[in-house]
């Protein structure tokens, strides 16, 4: 060999063909691509239906039958489809990844097919150790039937058969169960799977003598009255999802080839819980766990629908996220939005029943949709100092709509604010503060303000200066006691009289407390950094109620130690009333105050020089 030939040989090495370990591939399919061995039956139905679709594209009057027969660890599936020639068998069945939908003469009607990936019969090896296919082509009437037999070790044989082996065009698939998989080929299991996957298929499908298809779909059937329709759909929902819905919403998007129904859940669910929907593709069940089908806010419904436009993933068990799915998601969300506005306009009782369970979902929608907020404003419930009210009604009662951002802040001020005539909305629940702040956009002229400690204190009556001056010693002792906790003490007069003290702070004050606590525990470097972050935020405050009899008695005590213990007790009790989480320093204070009061209450003169008792 000369040098030029050697260089050419090195530059153009001979190509090699990939070798496929079929058993390893089957293991990969069963453990990673498919969620369950049951998909083998979907693949068989899919192949049969696609074969019929291909034949009817050329012979519109051709029969459309699929028959499944299960017996003694074996399954036989017969279809009246397009069939295969010997060349087709070698070209299609023996090549992993090649789909018959790409064959000449079929490509042009591929949009009518269910299958897209060419995995085909390979999925059947998940439950079968041997597959035998007998087929006769409808395109080549003179061609004899052909038999393809494959085993799970990767080998196959092909032979032609006498005409009597398959007189009519079509295909018969024979499966022999692998060890441990026999239950998947029992008649009972095959019938259940066929009905689950194929109830909406457009052709005549039977398991033995049992009919599989159930057309038209429940949402497409004529009913004598709307009430009868609701009852029928409720029964369908119960059979399918296991619950009786509050209502059923039509999902009809002709441009996307979608027909179906959304069932409203009868009980509340968490917005974080991913809703799972049933999606049929051209009649075949694609998945019962579709999660991206609806907008996130529509977590209160479960859908079942049939489509011819959405694209499945390779496993055919979920939907491919693309522009089409995004457009369908928006369209279905619009259907649910229209249902809500329709209830608001014509059926307030049903809307109220729905909102009593699913107001969170509607609030989620309304915070991004001004028109929905305007529509739902008279109906959405909010916790306020006037009780459960809509924002519309609350705004009519109060010139300023005050709100808190957290539940803890609301609990601090609600009783006091209500007694002072200040209306407050609890904005601590999910979406509520956002909706309150959006109120002026749909109700021009509405004044919305966040309620803070200064606002509450300003609405409390000031104490006569002379009386406050007379209590200056008591107030100074109380302030000195609480100063290490970052809390001031003020004296006001307010209702209800039964409340001796009110603890007020805001987020800025809590942030400053957290920074100060971290600074105390940090090393010198971090303490210096945290110290530089010290802000001028207002401190928390303990507001003592001068109208309360207990405060009047405590303020007259001359014993400094008892004044300190009483102040700590009032501070701890105010924290507990506000249902605020306690810091370690607060817990230690409560324990210290409790023990101090017990000691004072049980103290006797015998503990001191002299005789007798107090």
């Amino acid at each position: 060999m000369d040098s030029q030939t050697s260089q050419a040989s090195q530059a153009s090495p001979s190509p090699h063909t990939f070798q496929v370990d079929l058993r390893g591939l089957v293991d990969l399919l069963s453990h990673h691509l498919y969620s369950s061995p049951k998909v083998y039956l979907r693949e068989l139905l899919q192949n049969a239906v696609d074969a019929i679709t291909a034949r009817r594209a050329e012979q519109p009057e051709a029969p459309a039958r699929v028959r499944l027969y299960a017996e003694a660890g074996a399954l036989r599936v017969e279809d009246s489809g397009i069939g295969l020639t010997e060349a087709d068998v070698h070209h299609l069945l023996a090549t992993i990844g090649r789909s018959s939908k790409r064959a000449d003469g079929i490509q042009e009607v591929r949009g009518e097919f269910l299958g897209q990936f060419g995995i085909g019969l390979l999925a059947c090896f998940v439950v079968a150790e041997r597959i035998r296919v007998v087929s006769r082509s409808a395109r080549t009437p003179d061609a004899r039937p052909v038999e393809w037999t494959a085993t799970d070790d990767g080998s196959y044989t092909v032979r032609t058969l006498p005409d009597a082996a398959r007189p009519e065009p079509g295909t018969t698939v024979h499966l022999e169960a692998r060890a441990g998989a026999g239950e998947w080929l029992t008649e009972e299991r095959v019938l259940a799977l066929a009905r689950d996957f194929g109830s909406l298929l457009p052709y005549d499908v039977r398991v033995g003598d049992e009919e599989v298809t159930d057309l038209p779909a429940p949402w497409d059937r004529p009913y004598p009255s709307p009430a009868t329709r609701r009852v029928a759909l409720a029964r369908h929902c119960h059979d399918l999802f296991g619950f009786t819905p509050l209502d059923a919403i039509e999902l009809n998007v002709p441009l996307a080839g979608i027909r179906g129904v959304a069932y409203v859940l009868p009980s509340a669910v968490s917005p974080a819980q991913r809703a799972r929907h049933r999606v049929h593709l051209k009649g075949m069940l694609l998945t019962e766990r579709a999660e991206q089908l609806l907008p996130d806010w529509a977590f209160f419904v479960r859908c079942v629908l049939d489509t011819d436009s959405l694209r499945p993933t390779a496993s055919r068990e979920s939907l491919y996220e693309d522009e089409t799915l995004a457009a369908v998601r928006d369209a279905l969300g619009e259907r649910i939005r229209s249902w809500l506005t329709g209830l608001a306009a014509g059926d307030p009782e049903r809307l109220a029943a729905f909102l009593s369970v699913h107001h969170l979902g509607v609030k989620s929608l309304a915070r991004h949709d001004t028109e929905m907020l305007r529509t739902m404003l008279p109906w959405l419930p909010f916790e306020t100092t006037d009780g459960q009210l809509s924002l519309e009604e609350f705004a009519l009662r109060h010139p300023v709509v005050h709100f808190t951002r957290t539940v803890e802040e609301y609990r601090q001020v609600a009783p006091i604010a209500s007694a002072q005539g200040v209306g407050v909305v609890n904005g601590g629940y999910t979406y509520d503060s956002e909706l309150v702040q959006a109120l002026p956009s749909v109700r021009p002229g509405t004044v919305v303000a966040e309620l803070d400690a200064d606002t509450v204190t300003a609405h409390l009556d000031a104490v006569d200066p002379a009386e406050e001056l007379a209590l200056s010693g008591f107030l100074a002792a109380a302030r000195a006691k609480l100063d290490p906790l970052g809390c001031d003490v003020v004296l006001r007069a307010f209702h209800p009289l039964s409340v001796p003290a009110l603890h007020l702070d805001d987020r800025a004050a809590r942030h400053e407390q957290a920074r100060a606590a971290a600074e105390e525990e940090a090393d010198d470097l971090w303490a210096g950094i945290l110290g530089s972050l010290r802000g001028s935020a207002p401190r928390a405050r303990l507001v003592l109620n001068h109208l309360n009899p207990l405060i009047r008695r405590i303020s007259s005590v001359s014993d400094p130690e008892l004044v300190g213990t009483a102040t700590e007790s009032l501070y701890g009790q105010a924290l507990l009333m506000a249902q605020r989480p306690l810091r370690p320093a607060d817990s230690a204070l409560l324990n210290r105050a409790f023990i101090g009061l017990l000691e004072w209450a049980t103290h006797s003169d015998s503990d001191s020089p002299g005789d007798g008792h107090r």
Side-chain angles (χ1 to χ4, degrees):
M1 180 182 296
D2 59 28
S3 60
Q4 291 183 348
T5 304
S6 176
Q7 291 175 359
S9 175
Q10 292 176 2
S12 304
S14 299
H16 298 279
T17 303
F18 281 105
Q19 300 299 310
V20 177
D21 179 352
L22 185 57
R23 285 177 175 164
L25 187 56
V26 169
D27 181 73
L28 180 67
L29 290 175
S30 60
H31 289 94
H32 300 284
L33 183 62
Y34 295 133
S35 62
S36 166
K38 68 181 182 181
V39 297
Y40 88 91
L41 192 69
R42 183 192 64 199
E43 297 295 337
L44 288 173
L45 286 177
Q46 171 184 306
N47 288 343
V49 169
D50 285 344
I52 293 172
T53 301
R55 184 177 180 185
R56 285 204 151 187
E58 301 177 6
Q59 304 172 14
E61 302 302 319
R65 297 187 306 270
V66 181
R67 298 291 183 265
L68 298 91
Y69 304 95
E71 51 188 24
L75 177 65
R76 184 172 85 255
V77 181
E78 300 177 355
D79 69 65
S80 58
I82 193 71
L84 302 172
T85 64
E86 183 175 355
D88 292 335
V89 166
H90 284 290
H91 184 63
L92 301 173
L93 298 187
T95 305
I96 295 172
R98 178 172 292 153
S99 173
S100 63
K101 287 71 179 177
R102 291 191 288 271
D104 293 339
I106 298 181
Q107 178 69 32
E108 60 269 19
V109 291
R110 186 178 178 188
E112 299 301 318
F113 291 114
L114 301 174
Q116 300 281 330
F117 295 96
I119 295 174
L121 287 176
L122 187 63
C124 295
F125 280 118
V126 173
V127 298
E129 65 178 5
R130 185 169 180 267
I131 302 174
R132 186 166 67 94
V133 177
V134 178
S135 187
R136 184 163 193 161
S137 175
R139 287 206 187 102
T140 314
D142 296 336
R144 292 169 60 188
V146 60
E147 177 190 71
W148 176 84
T149 303
T151 57
D152 61 0
D153 64 1
S155 63
Y156 73 92
T157 61
V158 178
R159 62 174 181 149
T160 56
L161 300 177
D163 288 342
R166 177 82 201 195
E168 298 295 329
T171 301
T172 301
V173 179
H174 302 261
L175 302 185
E176 294 179 14
R178 65 168 52 243
E183 63 170 311
W184 292 103
L185 302 187
T186 62
E187 184 173 13
E188 182 180 6
R189 178 63 69 91
V190 169
L191 178 59
L193 292 178
R195 283 178 170 165
D196 195 36
F197 284 120
S199 62
L200 301 184
L201 290 174
Y203 304 136
D204 179 14
V205 182
R206 298 174 186 268
V207 176
D209 295 327
E210 297 288 339
E211 193 169 354
V212 169
T213 52
D214 186 21
L215 295 175
W219 51 85
D220 285 330
R221 295 173 190 169
Y223 295 96
S225 68
T228 306
R229 178 182 179 82
R230 281 196 297 270
V231 171
L233 290 179
R235 186 183 305 111
H236 175 249
C237 176
H238 189 274
D239 293 342
L240 206 58
F241 294 113
F243 65 85
T244 300
L246 287 178
D247 207 347
I249 307 170
E250 292 287 331
L251 300 179
N252 184 9
V253 187
L255 291 179
I258 285 179
R259 287 285 299 158
V261 63
Y263 292 116
V264 181
L265 291 164
S267 56
V269 293
S270 167
Q273 179 179 331
R274 301 294 296 182
R276 295 184 170 186
H277 312 288
R278 289 176 63 94
V279 178
H280 295 255
L281 180 60
K282 302 180 181 71
M284 179 75 76
L285 178 65
L286 175 68
T287 178
E288 52 192 355
R289 299 189 305 274
E291 294 184 348
Q292 306 90 13
L293 190 63
L294 295 180
D296 290 341
W297 56 262
F299 54 82
F300 49 83
V301 299
R302 296 292 180 268
C303 295
V304 53
L305 55 83
D306 188 25
T307 176
D308 59 16
S309 64
L310 298 180
R311 179 181 169 194
T313 58
S315 67
R316 295 183 51 76
E317 295 188 322
S318 59
L319 298 172
Y320 191 83
E321 184 68 50
D322 57 11
E323 292 182 358
T324 301
L325 180 57
V328 165
R329 184 162 46 234
D330 291 341
L332 296 180
E334 182 57 39
R335 297 299 182 275
I336 297 174
R337 183 187 289 106
S338 298
W339 170 78
L340 283 170
T341 55
L343 287 186
D347 201 339
E349 290 186 4
R350 285 173 67 201
L351 178 63
F354 165 76
L355 290 177
S356 67
V357 178
H358 296 298
H359 57 274
L360 198 58
V362 180
K363 287 180 177 180
S364 174
L365 170 60
R367 68 194 176 116
H368 297 302
D369 189 322
T370 302
E371 189 58 38
M372 180 56 64
L373 177 59
R374 182 179 290 107
T375 301
M376 292 290 116
L377 199 59
W379 308 101
L380 289 173
F382 289 78
E383 182 180 359
T384 77
T385 48
D386 293 352
Q388 286 284 334
L389 292 177
S390 70
L391 288 181
E392 175 76 17
E393 186 174 356
F394 187 83
L396 290 173
R397 297 185 181 187
H398 299 279
V400 178
V401 178
H402 289 101
F403 72 97
T404 62
R405 291 188 182 272
T406 68
V407 175
E408 290 80 7
E409 291 173 356
Y410 178 80
R411 287 170 177 166
Q412 284 186 83
V413 303
I416 309 304
S418 179
Q420 309 305 311
V422 179
V424 184
V425 178
N426 184 357
Y429 296 116
T430 307
Y431 312 132
D432 283 10
S433 62
E434 297 174 67
L435 292 176
V436 175
Q437 293 177 88
L439 191 56
S441 67
V442 295
R443 197 177 188 275
T446 303
V447 180
V448 173
E450 183 175 354
L451 190 69
D452 55 21
D454 289 336
T455 304
V456 176
T457 305
H459 279 83
L460 305 180
D461 295 335
V463 177
D464 182 86
E467 294 188 42
E468 187 167 1
L469 182 62
L471 299 178
S472 58
F474 162 73
L475 292 174
R479 287 169 182 148
K481 196 68 177 179
L482 296 186
D483 183 68
L485 296 173
C487 183
D488 291 332
V489 177
V490 297
L491 187 67
R492 291 289 187 273
F494 57 86
H495 293 274
L497 301 179
S498 59
V499 177
L502 176 65
H503 181 270
L504 293 176
D505 66 0
D506 52 28
R507 283 171 295 157
R510 288 196 295 277
H511 290 163
E512 176 60 22
Q513 286 179 346
R515 187 209 58 78
E519 182 181 357
E520 290 179 3
E521 299 176 0
D523 57 26
D524 292 342
L525 174 61
W526 282 107
I529 294 174
L530 291 169
S532 68
L533 297 176
R534 183 183 297 110
S536 58
R539 286 152 56 97
R541 65 196 70 177
L542 183 68
V543 184
L544 302 179
N545 187 1
H546 188 55
L547 300 180
N548 181 267
L550 176 62
I551 296 298
R552 288 180 174 272
R553 289 197 298 271
I554 293 175
S555 63
S556 64
V557 173
S558 58
D559 184 347
E561 184 176 344
L562 181 57
V563 168
T565 300
T567 301
E568 289 181 332
S569 300
L570 290 169
Y571 174 82
Q573 188 263 353
L575 283 180
L576 294 175
M577 288 293 292
Q579 301 183 41
R580 293 293 307 279
L582 299 180
R583 299 172 295 168
D586 298 330
S587 299
L589 174 145
L590 276 172
N591 290 332
R592 185 169 64 247
F594 178 72
I595 297 299
L597 289 177
L598 282 179
E599 290 178 347
W600 179 81
T602 58
H603 182 73
S604 67
D605 287 345
S606 62
D607 298 318
S608 306
D611 298 321
H613 300 278
R614 283 198 200 189

